[in-house]
Amino acid sequence: YYTVGLHPWETERLDAYRLVDQMLTRYLQNEYCLAVGEVGLDRLRGASLNIQKELLEVQLTIAERSHKPIVIHCVRAWSELFSVFRRQPYTQHKAIHGYRSSLPILARLLEEEWYISIGFNTPNEIISQIPLKQFLLESDDSNQPISALYERVASLLHESPEMLQSIVTDNIRRFINTRR
C-alpha cells in the first residue's frame, strides 16, 4: 500500500506540472494507492509559494475526483494552506503530516476535522490537545521504532500502548475508508 503525490520540496522540478497532471491520476487508479500525499506547502524549501499553491490545487482536484484522502505537508504556510482549502472545496478526509505548529492552528485544524499525525518531535502540549478520534502517529522524524512513540504517547495520554495502537488503527481505517 502506498500514497502518491508531488511533495512541495519537489515542486522546483522542470516536469512538476506534467507529473501531477499526467501521472497522479494514473497512480491513483491502482487499488494499492490509499491516498494523495505527502503534498502541500513549504515556505522554506521548494518552488515559490505561488507555484506550490497551483500544484496543490491541481492535486486536490485530482484527489477529490478520485475520492482519495490527502496527507498534507505544511511548513510556515498555514494561512496560504487554509486559503487554498477555502477556495477549493474538498470533501475527502485530510491529514496533517508531522504536526509541530501552534495551538491556535491546531484548534482550527481540529475544528475542520483534520486528522493530526504526530511524531517524536511533536511537543507534549500539542499531543495532549488532539482528540483520540483524530490522532495518527508516524516515525519518519526519528530512527527510533514506532513502538517507542506509542509508548511515549500512551504514557502521556494515560492509555496503554495496545489501546493507543487500536485507536490509531481504527483512525487509519476511517481515514482511508476501508476495513483492510
Side-chain angles (χ1 to χ4, degrees), residues 20 78 100 134 149:
V20 168
W78 294 104
R100 292 186 280 186
Q134 289 169 268
L149 183 60

Side-chain angles (χ1 to χ4, degrees), residues 126-157:
I126 296 291
I127 294 170
S128 65
Q129 297 301 309
I130 302 170
L132 290 177
K133 68 179 184 170
Q134 289 169 268
F135 221 97
L136 299 173
L137 271 72
E138 61 185 72
S139 62
D140 69 342
D141 63 348
S142 172
N143 290 329
Q144 297 183 62
I146 189 84
S147 59
L149 183 60
Y150 272 100
E151 289 176 20
R152 174 187 155 217
V153 173
S155 174
L156 177 69
L157 299 177

Side-chain angles (χ1 to χ4, degrees), residues 95-175:
I96 290 291
H97 167 76
Y99 189 77
R100 292 186 280 186
S101 194
S102 71
L103 288 172
I105 291 171
L106 177 65
R108 181 166 177 185
L109 292 167
L110 293 173
E111 182 181 308
E112 294 179 9
E113 299 182 350
W114 288 73
Y115 288 81
I116 311 297
S117 184
I118 60 105
F120 287 96
N121 293 320
T122 304
N124 288 350
E125 60 270 12
I126 296 291
I127 294 170
S128 65
Q129 297 301 309
I130 302 170
L132 290 177
K133 68 179 184 170
Q134 289 169 268
F135 221 97
L136 299 173
L137 271 72
E138 61 185 72
S139 62
D140 69 342
D141 63 348
S142 172
N143 290 329
Q144 297 183 62
I146 189 84
S147 59
L149 183 60
Y150 272 100
E151 289 176 20
R152 174 187 155 217
V153 173
S155 174
L156 177 69
L157 299 177
H158 308 290
E159 296 282 349
S160 71
E162 296 78 19
M163 178 58 76
L164 183 59
Q165 185 174 7
S166 176
I167 290 167
V168 170
T169 298
D170 287 345
N171 291 348
I172 292 168
R173 287 184 175 140
R174 204 171 48 256
F175 177 73

Side-chain angles (χ1 to χ4, degrees), residues 34-103:
L34 302 178
V36 173
E38 202 180 308
V39 301
L41 304 173
D42 193 318
R43 191 176 295 281
L44 303 180
R45 195 165 162 191
S48 72
L49 276 181
N50 284 337
I51 290 173
Q52 289 185 40
K53 286 191 297 189
E54 287 175 10
L55 288 163
L56 175 58
E57 289 171 0
V58 173
Q59 291 177 96
L60 281 173
T61 298
I62 294 169
E64 179 73 22
R65 189 174 55 231
S66 300
H67 305 287
K68 296 286 187 183
I70 198 157
V71 179
I72 296 289
H73 168 103
C74 187
V75 175
R76 297 184 182 178
W78 294 104
S79 62
E80 293 85 357
L81 181 72
F82 290 132
S83 174
V84 166
F85 277 90
R86 262 193 319 275
R87 280 193 317 273
Q88 185 157 346
Y90 186 74
T91 62
Q92 308 308 310
H93 289 142
K94 306 173 295 261
I96 290 291
H97 167 76
Y99 189 77
R100 292 186 280 186
S101 194
S102 71
L103 288 172

